[in-house]
Amino acid sequence: MPWDCSLNQDVHVTVDNHSCYFRAIPKDHPLYVKRFSKASPAIMLKSYLRILDPITGVCPSSKRIIQDITRCWGSHIDIICEHGGAAVDGIGSRNGHREIKGLAPRGGKRVKKEELKEEALHPDALEAWDIYLRRSIDRHSHSMSSNDVET
């Protein structure tokens, strides 16, 4: 499985986002024991294991795994396998002195997708997400009302 293509980054982002939802939860709140955090290596390990859990985990999704494998095992991999794993001229440029002149470099301008990526929430994070969202709305409504008063 091409774990290092983009699935690894998906897991890091998901743990970061889940950690953000729990930042405002005080220690005396009952939800605090279910927190996702990166405060220490032990707590971080628990957070990652919960996100990756095959039963209750939310990342990476089956859709993303299929998308990543499809992208990795495209026509270029087949051509490289046919050539015994050797570098094949014409399927991608290289960096530095190994650059192949005349080929388009890899990468390029990033095109945003029209649909937004929906992040799945871990069942333990649903209530924290609601608290996070309510606090954000309250903070925003207070800043909007203070801006209205000034003008």
Side-chain angles (χ1 to χ4, degrees), residues 121-136:
L121 283 174
H122 193 277
D124 292 342
L126 292 173
E127 188 178 345
W129 166 250
D130 289 336
I131 294 169
Y132 177 82
L133 192 59
R134 273 188 269 126
R135 287 186 177 173
S136 178

Side-chain angles (χ1 to χ4, degrees), residues 93 96 98-103:
S93 185
R98 300 176 303 141
E99 180 181 4
I100 300 171
K101 303 295 182 199
L103 287 180

Side-chain angles (χ1 to χ4, degrees), residues 129-148:
W129 166 250
D130 289 336
I131 294 169
Y132 177 82
L133 192 59
R134 273 188 269 126
R135 287 186 177 173
S136 178
I137 290 170
D138 289 345
R139 194 174 325 125
H140 181 72
S141 63
H142 290 303
S143 66
M144 290 298 290
S145 62
S146 64
N147 288 340
D148 292 340

Side-chain angles (χ1 to χ4, degrees), residues 29-136:
H29 195 282
L31 192 59
Y32 186 78
V33 295
K34 296 181 180 182
R35 77 187 182 281
F36 288 84
S37 177
K38 295 172 80 175
S40 72
I43 295 171
M44 188 179 350
L45 175 63
K46 289 178 184 177
S47 298
Y48 273 88
L49 290 176
R50 287 169 56 206
I51 290 294
L52 292 167
D53 186 87
I55 310 286
T56 60
V58 295
C59 187
S61 67
S62 301
K63 181 179 177 182
R64 286 289 293 143
I65 292 171
I66 292 169
Q67 181 184 31
D68 216 38
I69 290 172
T70 304
R71 184 174 51 207
C72 179
W73 292 98
S75 60
H76 288 182
I77 293 292
D78 296 336
I79 294 170
I80 292 169
C81 288
E82 287 173 10
H83 287 83
V88 181
D89 288 338
I91 63 171
S93 185
R94 291 153 182 82
N95 293 330
H97 70 278
R98 300 176 303 141
E99 180 181 4
I100 300 171
K101 303 295 182 199
L103 287 180
R106 293 183 219 175
K109 182 179 177 186
R110 183 174 169 205
V111 179
K112 290 186 180 181
K113 295 181 182 178
E114 290 184 21
E115 63 186 56
L116 293 173
K117 178 184 165 189
E118 291 185 25
E119 180 188 6
L121 283 174
H122 193 277
D124 292 342
L126 292 173
E127 188 178 345
W129 166 250
D130 289 336
I131 294 169
Y132 177 82
L133 192 59
R134 273 188 269 126
R135 287 186 177 173
S136 178

Side-chain angles (χ1 to χ4, degrees), residues 4-20:
D4 60 336
C5 288
S6 58
L7 296 177
N8 201 21
Q9 182 64 24
D10 288 353
V11 173
H12 291 309
V13 168
T14 302
V15 171
D16 288 344
N17 289 344
H18 278 67
S19 297
C20 285

